[in-house]
Amino acid sequence: MSDNPFIVEKFEFLGPEFLKEISKHAVVNHIKAKTEIIREGQKNKYIPFVLKGSIKVFTLNDDRELIYYCMREYDSCMMTFSSIFSDYISRIYSVAEEDSELLLIPVSVMHDWLIQFPAINKLFFQEYDKRFSEVMNMVNEAVFHKLDKRILSYIKQQISLTGNHPIKLTHREIATNLGTSREVVSRVMKKIENEGEISQSREGIRIPKDTNVSPV
């Protein structure tokens, strides 16, 4: 496993001894789309790194989702990592958005590695900085952007993430991910469709060619 491109890119700076350790303890798991990986209150057994696919990390409030961030290729879950400093109990939900492949490192092993290989902290500080920026962007959008802009931004993000265009997203799915109601989303979607920002059909939602779809 030590010659895996992800492991080489992510952990080679820690030296050959660490690569031996990760080959010894890490496992690869294949996750089907829409599969729940962990839920709030469960005990974290592994720290996941995404090799392929994407994982949604969120909390629930009155059955409405608040997305913290999406893990994509070579990303790790900082909310899971932070649990090793307390009781290993998850404070988030995570679900595979598409068929995904995860590298799983036992939490107890990672705890030992922090002492044995202190340089690994650099990697996680970088991940924390990335996730903190994403959460701040999410807060800014929720506070300062109108719902039509948030919906349009979400659609563009999903197109960039999946590579699917048109993309199939239900109004209920958009509502759940943005913390609002399906009825409100349907009304706003009709409005931005009339304004030429999107088009909707049986094939899915399409962004006009002259509208920029920014990568995520």
Side-chain angles (χ1 to χ4, degrees):
M1 187 182 289
S2 60
D3 59 350
N4 180 289
F6 165 77
I7 292 177
V8 172
E9 179 175 332
K10 204 80 170 178
F11 300 109
E12 189 176 32
F13 76 98
L14 292 167
E17 189 63 31
F18 182 84
L19 296 181
K20 290 179 183 178
E21 281 287 306
I22 201 168
S23 295
K24 178 181 176 182
H25 295 286
V27 296
V28 174
N29 198 4
H30 298 272
I31 308 293
K32 291 291 186 181
K34 308 303 180 183
T35 299
E36 182 180 84
I37 298 169
I38 198 165
R39 58 174 41 233
E40 184 178 357
Q42 286 184 335
K43 192 159 187 174
N44 286 312
K45 296 181 180 179
Y46 299 95
I47 294 176
F49 291 85
V50 180
L51 300 179
K52 296 179 182 177
S54 61
I55 308 296
K56 179 173 62 176
V57 178
F58 61 97
T59 57
L60 284 177
N61 188 357
D62 294 330
D63 293 325
R64 291 185 178 180
E65 294 180 5
L66 176 63
I67 299 177
Y68 285 148
Y69 49 83
C70 288
M71 297 162 53
R72 292 176 279 277
E73 287 189 7
Y74 289 17
D75 284 344
S76 181
C77 182
M78 291 299 94
M79 296 295 289
T80 302
F81 176 73
S82 66
S83 74
I84 72 175
F85 299 108
S86 52
D87 50 12
Y88 296 0
I89 301 300
S90 175
R91 291 172 288 175
I92 51 90
Y93 294 81
S94 66
V95 172
E97 292 198 296
E98 56 185 315
D99 290 352
S100 301
E101 185 176 294
L102 304 182
L103 179 78
L104 303 176
I105 298 175
V107 173
S108 58
V109 171
M110 180 62 74
H111 195 280
D112 293 338
W113 284 351
L114 291 174
I115 299 172
Q116 188 178 355
F117 304 97
I120 200 173
N121 286 282
K122 177 182 176 181
L123 183 150
F124 286 107
F125 282 133
Q126 291 172 342
E127 294 285 342
Y128 267 120
D129 182 67
K130 178 180 179 180
R131 296 305 174 202
F132 182 76
S133 296
E134 290 183 1
V135 171
M136 289 302 297
N137 288 336
M138 176 194 71
V139 172
N140 286 335
E141 281 205 358
V143 173
F144 298 113
H145 293 182
K146 293 182 179 180
L147 187 57
D148 56 349
K149 299 299 183 185
R150 292 176 59 204
I151 289 175
L152 193 58
S153 176
Y154 176 76
I155 294 170
K156 291 179 179 179
Q157 180 191 58
Q158 293 304 304
I159 290 173
S160 293
L161 174 63
T162 64
N164 296 330
H165 193 208
I167 186 167
K168 289 191 175 182
L169 294 169
T170 67
H171 291 187
R172 184 174 299 280
E173 182 180 356
I174 295 172
T176 299
N177 283 300
L178 295 183
T180 184
S181 69
R182 181 190 60 77
E183 293 78 10
V184 170
V185 167
S186 296
R187 186 166 62 249
V188 173
M189 291 282 284
K190 188 64 177 177
K191 170 181 175 292
I192 61 179
E193 183 176 27
N194 290 337
E195 293 172 348
E197 298 280 5
I198 63 169
S199 63
Q200 302 181 83
S201 67
R202 290 182 178 180
E203 286 72 33
I205 303 168
R206 182 179 292 278
I207 303 292
K209 289 183 179 180
D210 57 349
T211 302
N212 181 48
V213 179
S214 300
V216 292

